[in-house]
Amino acid sequence: MGKNHQQRKVDSDNSESESSTCDHDLRDDAPLTEQKGGEGDNLADKEGDVSRTKVTLKPPTLELANDINDEIETNEKSKKSIVRKLKLSATEDFNAKLKKRGIVYLSRVPPRMGPAKVKTLLADFGTITRVYLVEEDKTVRKKRRKAGGSSGKRYTEGWVEFESKKVAKLVGETLNMTRITNHKGSIHYDDMWSVKFLRGFKWSHLTEKVAYERRVREQKLKVEMMEVRRENASYIAQVEAGKKMDFIEERRKKRGAAGAGDDGGMVKKKRNIRQKRPFEGDRSSTKSAILGSLV
């Protein structure tokens, strides 16, 4: 019993010493060591303690952030400053392709037909590069709505550009005055193509025409706005003048009511102005004086 008691005391002392050493190591930020009981202690003593080192990361400084921002700005400037130059060969090839293209004119575009549908219908004959359709006037659309018609967008005329002039010429000759579709269930079964091939016409001519019409429209709008502003200014001036006249009449009525007589009529003030009498002399004396001066 005594031996067992002594052994327990030794174990408790060892455990207390181990706990104190662990606490001391943790407080001083010493490297941690893995400890195991029994045979593991002997192996750890033989092979050596396994230490774990802490890795400390420095916080980002202002200098580092400024350097990163400078690098980003330089990269953006270099991207913006890059100018892609076209080669002469590429431009010549593009101009040659433009010369080979042909344009077809549509004098009438059926209702419920837009640029996408025109392109799909005519793409069976050849490759289409560009399509332009002119929208109807907004006033016409409003009138149709008021009359109870459809409110959809409609087009009056259009131009279609094919990649090959031969295809455009063939389309203009064959499709003119023919049915759009042969399907009886289609909306455009009763509609006819009105197509014409434009010889010597280029897409640049069309863009110039559209730009000119836009400029004319803008000028007309400016002139109309100027006329409206003038009319508005004259109307406002007349209204102000009318207000002034009404105010003057009201003041006169008030004054007349205050100074009215028994009959209730308005009393008008008369101003007496002194006038000089004209010179009245003998006519004979005046005539003699005039004749004497002449002589």
Side-chain angles (χ1 to χ4, degrees):
M1 292 294 287
K3 289 180 180 179
N4 292 328
H5 185 65
Q6 289 177 359
Q7 195 170 2
R8 285 176 185 174
K9 281 184 179 180
V10 170
D11 292 334
S12 64
D13 293 330
N14 290 327
S15 63
E16 286 176 2
S17 63
E18 286 176 0
S19 64
S20 65
T21 53
C22 288
D23 293 331
H24 180 70
D25 292 335
L26 288 168
R27 285 172 188 172
D28 295 337
D29 294 334
L32 298 171
T33 57
E34 292 180 359
Q35 294 181 356
K36 294 182 181 179
E39 296 176 357
D41 293 330
N42 296 324
L43 291 169
D45 293 329
K46 289 178 183 178
E47 293 176 1
D49 297 333
V50 179
S51 63
R52 296 179 183 177
T53 58
K54 292 182 180 181
V55 179
T56 58
L57 295 171
K58 293 181 179 180
T61 59
L62 289 169
E63 293 179 356
L64 197 143
N66 291 326
D67 293 336
I68 291 165
N69 290 327
D70 292 334
E71 287 179 0
I72 291 163
E73 287 177 358
T74 52
N75 291 327
E76 287 179 354
K77 286 179 181 178
S78 63
K79 286 179 182 178
K80 288 179 181 178
S81 62
I82 292 167
V83 178
R84 294 180 181 178
K85 293 181 179 180
L86 291 170
K87 294 180 180 179
L88 273 172
S89 59
T91 54
E92 286 174 358
D93 294 337
F94 182 70
N95 290 326
K97 287 178 181 177
L98 285 175
K99 287 178 182 178
K100 290 178 182 178
R101 292 179 183 178
I103 296 169
V104 167
Y105 173 68
L106 301 174
S107 62
R108 180 184 172 274
V109 181
R112 297 183 184 180
M113 185 178 281
K117 200 160 191 178
V118 170
K119 192 171 184 179
T120 52
L121 288 170
L122 297 175
D124 297 332
F125 299 94
T127 55
I128 295 168
T129 53
R130 285 178 280 196
V131 178
Y132 176 71
L133 301 179
V134 180
E135 293 182 12
E136 66 179 353
D137 197 10
K138 291 180 180 179
T139 55
V140 177
R141 193 177 175 187
K142 285 180 181 178
K143 286 178 182 178
R144 190 174 65 252
R145 278 183 184 176
K146 287 180 180 179
S150 63
S151 61
K153 192 183 286 183
R154 289 187 183 181
Y155 300 91
T156 54
E157 56 183 356
W159 289 264
V160 182
E161 188 183 44
F162 286 90
E163 194 175 4
S164 176
K165 278 185 183 179
K166 292 179 181 178
V167 175
K169 193 174 182 180
L170 186 82
V171 168
E173 290 176 355
T174 56
L175 280 184
N176 193 23
M177 298 306 293
T178 58
R179 281 185 179 177
I180 291 172
T181 56
N182 293 322
H183 299 287
K184 290 185 179 180
S186 177
I187 302 164
H188 305 293
Y189 178 73
D190 296 325
D191 292 322
M192 308 285 281
W193 284 113
S194 56
V195 187
K196 186 181 179 181
F197 172 68
L198 300 175
R199 195 184 299 277
F201 188 79
K202 295 179 182 179
W203 200 262
S204 59
H205 300 157
L206 179 62
T207 53
E208 287 173 3
K209 176 180 174 288
V210 172
Y212 175 73
E213 288 177 353
R214 190 179 293 126
R215 275 189 242 111
V216 169
R217 202 180 304 116
E218 287 175 359
Q219 288 293 327
K220 284 182 179 178
L221 284 170
K222 283 181 181 178
V223 171
E224 287 177 359
M225 288 296 292
M226 290 290 287
E227 288 178 357
V228 169
R229 284 174 185 172
R230 285 174 187 171
E231 289 176 359
N232 194 12
S234 65
Y235 176 74
I236 289 165
Q238 288 176 4
V239 169
E240 288 177 356
K243 285 180 180 178
K244 286 179 182 178
M245 294 298 292
D246 293 337
F247 181 70
I248 290 163
E249 286 179 0
E250 285 177 2
R251 284 181 66 187
R252 282 179 180 174
K253 284 179 182 179
K254 285 178 182 178
R255 287 177 183 177
D262 297 332
D263 297 334
M266 291 177 69
V267 177
K268 292 182 180 180
K269 290 181 179 180
K270 291 182 180 180
R271 293 181 181 180
N272 296 322
I273 298 167
R274 292 179 182 179
Q275 294 182 356
K276 290 182 180 181
R277 290 180 180 179
F279 178 74
E280 293 180 357
D282 296 333
R283 290 180 182 179
S284 60
S285 62
T286 54
K287 281 182 182 181
S288 62
I290 292 163
L291 288 170
S293 64
L294 288 171
V295 173

